[in-house]
Amino acid sequence: MANETKSSHAAANAKMEKIVSLCKRRGFIFQSSEIYGGLNGAWDYGPVGVELKRNIKDYWWRRIVQLRDDVVGMDGSILMNRAVWKASGHEVTFHDPMVDCKVCKRRFRADQLETCECGKDPKKTPLTCGSELTAPRNFNLMFKTYVGPTEDDTSVAYLRPETAQAMFVQFKNVLEVARKKLPFGIAQIGKAFRNEINPRNFTFRSREFEQMELEFFVPPDQGLKWLEYWKDERLRWYEEIGIPRSKIHVLDVPADKRAHYSKGTYDLEYEFPFGVQELEGVAYRTDFDLKQHQEASGKPLEYFDEETRTKFIPHVVEPSAGVDRTLLAVLCEAFAEEEVKDDNGKTEVRTVLRFHPRVAPIKCGVFPLLKNKPELVAKAREVRDLLRPLMNVFYDEAGAIGRRYRRQDEVGTPYGVTIDFDTLGEKGPELKDTVTLRERDSMKQERIPIKDLHGWLLQRIN
Amino acid sequence: MANETKSSHAAANAKMEKIVSLCKRRGFIFQSSEIYGGLNGAWDYGPVGVELKRNIKDYWWRRIVQLRDDVVGMDGSILMNRAVWKASGHEVTFHDPMVDCKVCKRRFRADQLETCECGKDPKKTPLTCGSELTAPRNFNLMFKTYVGPTEDDTSVAYLRPETAQAMFVQFKNVLEVARKKLPFGIAQIGKAFRNEINPRNFTFRSREFEQMELEFFVPPDQGLKWLEYWKDERLRWYEEIGIPRSKIHVLDVPADKRAHYSKGTYDLEYEFPFGVQELEGVAYRTDFDLKQHQEASGKPLEYFDEETRTKFIPHVVEPSAGVDRTLLAVLCEAFAEEEVKDDNGKTEVRTVLRFHPRVAPIKCGVFPLLKNKPELVAKAREVRDLLRPLMNVFYDEAGAIGRRYRRQDEVGTPYGVTIDFDTLGEKGPELKDTVTLRERDSMKQERIPIKDLHGWLLQRIN
């Protein structure tokens, strides 16, 4: 391995470590059940993490469902009838080939050895601890449980490994109530579960995760056209939440790497510190899913086209995104460290999350300059109460104002307003009822009248 | 049973049947995996159901978390370390006593026979099919699964039966990042699972459901005070989403019916058509949960009070609400049938959901009077695009305008605007760019200028 590559790997690892540490320190992401040693592949979102996640999901929902006439939403259950997973093929084929190291006994996915934790290049050095691996064996990735009082084959159920199938099996119900013509889509956000052998890369590959999926139903001859449309649309969405087009690699998955039924798939991959990895798949799935369910259930899942007087099974284009992965990409993209001068002119490192204001957990910090001046505190609370119905604000009166700004920088709050003696009119009437507005990225400060504040902010955060 | 009671039972059943049928017909709630015969105790929310659910959850989040300085949110994983459920007591004690009928073999919760499906009064007639029951046996309500490649005792995990425990085990992490003083709370919305023997009453008792829980941490001597506070606060919240105070029964749970550690619990019960049933429990849980986890994990979960210089385990007041139950109560409360005259003066029955505009899935319908007049359609789309960034609107151009209004009545849309020839100025300039605004409940119509529309609506829907 060249020295250059080694040191860029080390830098990437160091960046990732800093992000993981910031996430815990400032309340974005904690290990699940941490006080009990955690649960591998499960994560909890803390106070700012949950707001960031909500913003990402809400913006997806708004753009994909609410701002369109041709998509409706649904929210299906995680536990479904087992027959769904037989028909979809998951019960038989949703598995990973596993290999075990014969000496160190660690278990790996046979197809992903290049990313195993030992970090060695499999092309050049022996794998893992250097010992032989077993032949691959299949391991189903669905979590199994039993529904009802008896534990036998008739009561088996799985935690859904994807949200997609609920939209296929409810296609007819939704079509009837939504009174839509093709092309039209069903969208859903929800948890899914996969019993990954090696959860890794922080929240990137976890056992419990959240998906945002759209099944877009089209006439059979329009699949490839809509595949392009949705690929472009989804790239635009990522840009709108602060992930630039230049950081996303579009992989046109070759036929031999696609699912057998797919006539075209794009993987949208992001340059994570730990490598270029999939954020979202946009797949033209043909009529495979509806056909499988029609056959297995005996219920017609066809569409009658009134214009052409023909009946057919719609084809499907599916943009399938991971909430946790998107959030992690947003975090990685936003993370920055920069040298700045402190109040005494000394150089120090500022950690800042440059979130797009649209997804930032907190839109505006509100600070009285001093907490022991009742007039400042009262005025600051007034400003807080003015803004709060319109956006998520954070009120903070503890510590030096510079430190309060830095704390908000670390959670990515784009704006901060400080209520000082000028606000109270102590330096004359012209500054009365104005506040200092500080911008996170430039750290520039300007004076703005309180009455203009909510308009100014609303323009920038939506 | 008196005749009066019988007929009121029949009316209640008929009402419930109508609600269930409306829910399916208009896309609020479907049976999960319906084309495969469903899965008992699991439900899917359709296009309007998911929006109603989002609105309920968002309003809870706004009021409990975002509009307060003393509560922060989190979002914990469904799968947690098994040790959590040992410490909380769920692994040993979270079970229902079951009895089986010795003849018909149906299984029931021994403590709930008065609500079993046979509908007979156990005090007066023999139970179920009239035959003897077995002695009660315990049945743990947690769904079990295995995490990782092996299925043995060391890999057991449960689907969480409540969201609460994540907030207890993350108490210290959250306290540190949130920099709050007591009293302060942690809030969470998420799925929970209980393997109920007899799921019933539509979505009321299901196996998969969603909770909105707040754990409010207070000094030991303030528990009872905050119990009162949160009981009142929660009653106010229900009123704000359209469930009047008069329909909620507050049950002060007597000591012998409370959990052993609780020093006070209020059950907030709603008058469902199938009986008065619990919507939410507001419980003063003392320091039980944190104490259990401190002991089991060996990690200190104490709070240091800077003012009194004392260290103690905080006490907890927990308002715990069910999303699906709240939604069902909102539906039941909103459901109405009334006799109205149609366009020809004939009496007909109008079905209407009188949702509070705040939770209504769609805030405003937008209709061109006729769909084959391009100017009407273009203008109507302009109005749709004007309103859409501010609220969820539904654009509909199909069918007679009266039928379109009725369809919106059935999904509870509070307002509808129609773009007609007057809007285009065909009857003179004074009506140009005005629309007909129709109010769902009164069915009154008025003319309103398009430019005033979004202000008028925003005032009423938030």
Side-chain angles (χ1 to χ4, degrees):
Chain A
M1 194 185 283
N3 275 339
E4 207 178 309
T5 318
K6 254 193 207 164
S7 76
S8 93
H9 271 204
N13 282 343
K15 180 178 178 187
M16 205 53 218
E17 268 170 38
K18 282 177 182 169
I19 290 171
V20 172
S21 149
L22 176 68
C23 278
K24 167 148 193 209
R25 191 172 76 249
R26 299 312 317 271
F28 284 95
I29 301 169
F30 306 125
Q31 208 183 358
S32 168
S33 321
E34 192 192 286
I35 62 171
Y36 292 107
L39 180 69
N40 196 1
W43 301 92
D44 289 357
Y45 289 85
V48 284
V50 63
E51 299 292 348
L52 177 59
K53 200 177 179 197
R54 285 172 62 83
N55 292 342
I56 290 169
K57 291 194 286 182
D58 283 354
Y59 190 63
W60 188 90
W61 192 261
R62 217 173 127 201
R63 286 279 270 102
I64 299 284
V65 181
Q66 295 180 332
L67 291 178
R68 301 180 66 107
D69 279 330
D70 58 357
V71 176
V72 297
M74 70 167 279
D75 183 14
S77 60
I78 288 168
L79 296 172
M80 300 173 76
N81 189 306
R82 179 184 186 175
V84 172
W85 309 110
K86 292 187 192 230
S88 69
H90 284 81
E91 196 172 89
V92 172
T93 66
F94 192 62
H95 44 60
D96 274 346
M98 296 186 315
V99 291
D100 296 302
C101 169
K102 287 183 177 173
V103 176
C104 78
K105 304 292 181 199
R106 286 160 76 198
R107 184 164 278 177
F108 303 97
R109 271 175 63 175
D111 61 342
Q112 288 221 343
L113 281 176
E114 64 277 22
T115 59
C116 82
E117 291 96 315
C118 74
K120 291 183 187 170
D121 183 350
K123 292 185 198 95
K124 296 196 182 162
T125 59
L127 300 171
T128 70
C129 58
S131 310
E132 239 188 305
L133 298 170
T134 61
R137 281 167 304 162
N138 283 328
F139 173 67
N140 196 296
L141 296 178
M142 291 194 293
F143 285 100
K144 190 167 83 175
T145 190
Y146 297 95
V147 173
T150 54
E151 288 195 8
D152 61 32
D153 205 51
T154 65
S155 62
V156 165
Y158 301 103
L159 305 195
R160 66 179 175 199
E162 59 176 39
T163 67
Q165 297 302 322
M167 297 181 271
F168 297 128
V169 302
Q170 294 291 12
F171 168 71
K172 207 73 184 209
N173 271 337
V174 174
L175 184 68
E176 260 162 42
V177 304
R179 302 165 48 249
K180 298 280 183 197
K181 287 182 182 160
L182 292 196
F184 105 99
I186 309 177
Q188 180 170 225
I189 299 177
K191 286 270 173 105
F193 299 79
R194 294 179 189 180
N195 198 358
E196 297 283 352
I197 317 275
N198 288 323
R200 67 191 167 285
N201 290 329
F202 198 25
T203 57
F204 180 81
R205 188 174 300 279
S206 48
R207 285 172 170 152
E208 175 174 341
F209 53 98
E210 207 160 356
Q211 292 185 308
M212 308 183 277
E213 294 195 304
L214 165 66
E215 309 303 326
F216 199 74
F217 301 94
V218 303
D221 58 346
Q222 293 182 21
L224 288 170
K225 184 184 97 182
W226 284 102
L227 174 65
E228 294 302 313
Y229 171 88
W230 279 110
K231 182 251 294 166
D232 294 339
E233 194 63 17
R234 295 300 300 141
L235 287 168
R236 198 168 305 127
W237 184 84
Y238 286 109
E239 281 201 283
E240 289 167 3
I241 59 165
I243 300 177
R245 179 66 189 82
S246 61
K247 297 293 274 297
I248 295 187
H249 298 224
V250 178
L251 177 68
D252 185 351
V253 182
D256 63 324
K257 301 274 185 192
R258 296 196 295 257
H260 66 90
Y261 46 77
S262 172
K263 281 200 181 156
T265 298
Y266 290 112
D267 282 352
L268 312 187
E269 303 174 323
Y270 174 74
E271 286 179 18
F272 286 99
F274 46 82
V276 175
Q277 296 270 354
E278 185 183 339
L279 259 189
E280 166 156 357
V282 185
Y284 172 26
R285 301 174 65 99
T286 69
D287 58 358
F288 175 76
D289 308 275
L290 288 179
K291 214 181 217 167
Q292 290 290 109
H293 288 300
Q294 172 168 297
E295 204 174 296
S297 70
K299 302 275 159 47
L301 297 177
E302 288 153 323
Y303 174 82
F304 179 70
D305 188 314
E306 282 174 26
E307 270 175 45
T308 61
R309 315 295 295 169
T310 54
K311 205 192 254 186
F312 55 85
I313 293 186
H315 281 220
V316 170
V317 174
E318 176 196 83
S320 168
V323 176
D324 311 82
R325 289 178 178 195
T326 301
L327 188 147
L328 187 56
V330 164
L331 268 171
C332 292
E333 192 59 35
F335 181 84
E337 289 178 315
E338 52 179 32
E339 292 195 344
V340 293
K341 300 245 193 267
D342 74 4
D343 295 344
N344 306 319
K346 249 179 69 181
T347 298
E348 58 172 18
V349 173
R350 175 173 90 124
T351 300
V352 56
L353 291 174
R354 302 189 191 283
F355 290 136
H356 191 293
R358 179 174 278 142
V359 294
I362 301 161
K363 308 305 183 190
C364 186
V366 179
F367 317 114
L369 184 63
L370 300 170
K371 82 167 170 184
N372 53 6
K373 298 286 171 196
E375 305 91 325
L376 289 176
V377 167
K379 196 73 187 173
R381 289 188 177 161
E382 238 177 67
V383 172
R384 173 198 67 187
D385 294 344
L386 174 82
L387 298 179
R388 190 164 261 174
L390 305 163
M391 67 194 74
N392 204 23
V393 300
F394 185 78
Y395 175 81
D396 189 2
E397 53 185 40
I401 190 70
R403 288 199 54 192
R404 280 181 270 168
Y405 285 148
R406 292 296 162 77
R407 276 201 293 261
Q408 291 306 307
D409 289 344
E410 282 199 333
V411 295
T413 306
Y415 307 105
V417 299
T418 301
I419 287 77
D420 55 22
F421 293 105
D422 293 0
T423 315
L424 304 177
E426 298 199 358
K427 289 212 187 134
E430 68 282 356
L431 289 182
K432 191 173 187 311
D433 287 328
T434 65
V435 292
T436 299
L437 192 146
R438 181 220 190 226
E439 204 269 327
R440 177 196 64 204
D441 295 345
S442 65
M443 293 190 285
K444 283 200 182 126
Q445 305 192 3
E446 58 177 301
R447 251 1 247 193
I448 184 169
I450 291 173
K451 68 171 173 39
D452 297 345
L453 201 53
H454 70 279
W456 193 95
L457 288 167
L458 280 180
Q459 260 189 355
R460 284 159 177 84
I461 62 172
N462 283 317
Chain B
M1 196 184 284
N3 275 340
E4 207 178 309
T5 317
K6 253 192 209 164
S7 75
S8 91
H9 272 204
N13 282 341
K15 180 178 176 186
M16 205 52 219
E17 269 171 34
K18 282 177 183 169
I19 290 170
V20 172
S21 149
L22 177 69
C23 278
K24 167 150 192 205
R25 191 171 77 250
R26 299 311 317 273
F28 284 95
I29 300 169
F30 307 126
Q31 209 183 357
S32 167
S33 322
E34 191 192 286
I35 62 172
Y36 291 107
L39 180 71
N40 197 0
W43 301 91
D44 290 356
Y45 290 84
V48 284
V50 64
E51 299 291 348
L52 178 59
K53 200 178 179 197
R54 286 173 62 82
N55 292 343
I56 290 169
K57 291 194 287 182
D58 283 353
Y59 190 62
W60 188 89
W61 193 260
R62 217 174 126 199
R63 286 280 268 101
I64 300 283
V65 182
Q66 295 180 331
L67 292 178
R68 300 181 67 106
D69 279 330
D70 58 356
V71 176
V72 297
M74 68 165 281
D75 182 13
S77 60
I78 289 169
L79 297 173
M80 299 172 77
N81 189 306
R82 180 184 186 175
V84 172
W85 309 111
K86 292 190 193 228
S88 70
H90 284 82
E91 196 172 88
V92 172
T93 65
F94 193 61
H95 44 59
D96 274 346
M98 299 186 312
V99 291
D100 296 303
C101 170
K102 287 184 176 170
V103 177
C104 78
K105 304 291 181 200
R106 286 159 77 198
R107 183 163 279 177
F108 302 97
R109 272 174 61 173
D111 60 343
Q112 288 221 341
L113 281 174
E114 64 276 23
T115 59
C116 83
E117 291 95 319
C118 74
K120 289 181 186 170
D121 184 349
K123 293 184 197 95
K124 297 193 180 164
T125 60
L127 300 171
T128 70
C129 59
S131 310
E132 239 188 304
L133 297 170
T134 62
R137 282 168 303 163
N138 282 329
F139 173 66
N140 197 295
L141 296 177
M142 291 195 291
F143 286 101
K144 190 167 82 177
T145 191
Y146 297 95
V147 173
T150 54
E151 288 195 7
D152 60 34
D153 206 51
T154 65
S155 63
V156 165
Y158 300 103
L159 307 195
R160 66 177 175 200
E162 60 177 38
T163 66
Q165 296 303 321
M167 297 180 272
F168 297 127
V169 301
Q170 295 291 12
F171 168 70
K172 206 73 185 211
N173 271 336
V174 174
L175 183 69
E176 260 162 42
V177 303
R179 302 165 48 248
K180 299 279 184 199
K181 287 181 183 161
L182 292 196
F184 104 100
I186 309 177
Q188 179 169 228
I189 299 177
K191 286 270 174 105
F193 300 79
R194 295 179 189 181
N195 198 358
E196 297 283 350
I197 317 275
N198 289 322
R200 64 192 170 285
N201 291 329
F202 199 25
T203 56
F204 180 81
R205 188 173 299 279
S206 48
R207 287 174 169 151
E208 176 175 340
F209 53 97
E210 208 161 353
Q211 292 185 309
M212 308 182 277
E213 294 194 306
L214 165 65
E215 309 304 327
F216 199 74
F217 301 95
V218 303
D221 58 345
Q222 294 182 20
L224 288 169
K225 184 185 97 183
W226 284 101
L227 174 65
E228 293 303 313
Y229 171 88
W230 280 109
K231 181 251 293 166
D232 294 340
E233 192 62 20
R234 296 300 301 141
L235 287 168
R236 200 167 305 127
W237 185 85
Y238 286 108
E239 281 201 284
E240 288 167 3
I241 59 165
I243 300 177
R245 179 66 190 82
S246 61
K247 296 294 274 297
I248 295 189
H249 300 225
V250 178
L251 177 67
D252 184 352
V253 182
D256 63 324
K257 300 275 184 193
R258 296 197 294 259
H260 66 89
Y261 46 77
S262 173
K263 280 201 181 155
T265 299
Y266 290 112
D267 282 353
L268 312 187
E269 304 174 322
Y270 174 73
E271 286 179 16
F272 287 100
F274 45 81
V276 175
Q277 297 269 356
E278 185 183 339
L279 260 189
E280 167 157 355
V282 184
Y284 171 26
R285 301 173 65 98
T286 68
D287 58 359
F288 176 75
D289 307 276
L290 289 180
K291 215 181 217 166
Q292 290 289 110
H293 288 300
Q294 171 168 297
E295 203 174 296
S297 70
K299 301 275 160 48
L301 297 177
E302 288 154 323
Y303 173 82
F304 179 71
D305 188 313
E306 281 174 26
E307 271 174 46
T308 61
R309 315 294 297 170
T310 54
K311 206 192 252 186
F312 55 84
I313 293 186
H315 281 221
V316 170
V317 174
E318 175 197 82
S320 167
V323 176
D324 311 82
R325 288 178 178 193
T326 302
L327 189 148
L328 187 57
V330 163
L331 268 171
C332 292
E333 192 60 35
F335 181 85
E337 289 178 315
E338 53 180 29
E339 293 196 344
V340 293
K341 300 248 193 263
D342 74 3
D343 296 343
N344 307 316
K346 250 179 68 181
T347 298
E348 58 171 19
V349 173
R350 174 174 92 123
T351 301
V352 57
L353 291 175
R354 301 189 193 283
F355 290 136
H356 191 293
R358 179 173 279 143
V359 294
I362 300 162
K363 309 304 182 190
C364 186
V366 178
F367 317 114
L369 184 64
L370 301 169
K371 81 165 170 185
N372 53 7
K373 298 286 173 197
E375 305 91 324
L376 289 176
V377 168
K379 196 74 190 170
R381 289 186 177 163
E382 238 176 67
V383 172
R384 173 197 67 186
D385 295 341
L386 174 80
L387 299 178
R388 191 163 262 175
L390 305 163
M391 66 194 74
N392 204 22
V393 300
F394 186 77
Y395 175 80
D396 189 3
E397 52 184 42
I401 191 70
R403 288 200 53 196
R404 280 181 271 167
Y405 285 147
R406 292 296 164 78
R407 277 200 293 260
Q408 290 307 307
D409 289 345
E410 282 198 335
V411 295
T413 306
Y415 306 105
V417 298
T418 301
I419 287 77
D420 56 21
F421 293 105
D422 293 0
T423 315
L424 304 177
E426 297 200 358
K427 289 211 184 132
E430 68 282 355
L431 289 182
K432 192 170 185 315
D433 287 326
T434 65
V435 292
T436 299
L437 192 147
R438 181 218 190 229
E439 203 271 325
R440 175 196 65 203
D441 294 344
S442 64
M443 293 190 285
K444 283 199 182 127
Q445 305 192 2
E446 57 177 302
R447 260 346 256 193
I448 182 167
I450 291 173
K451 67 171 171 45
D452 298 344
L453 201 51
H454 70 278
W456 194 96
L457 288 167
L458 280 181
Q459 260 188 356
R460 284 159 178 83
I461 62 173
N462 283 318

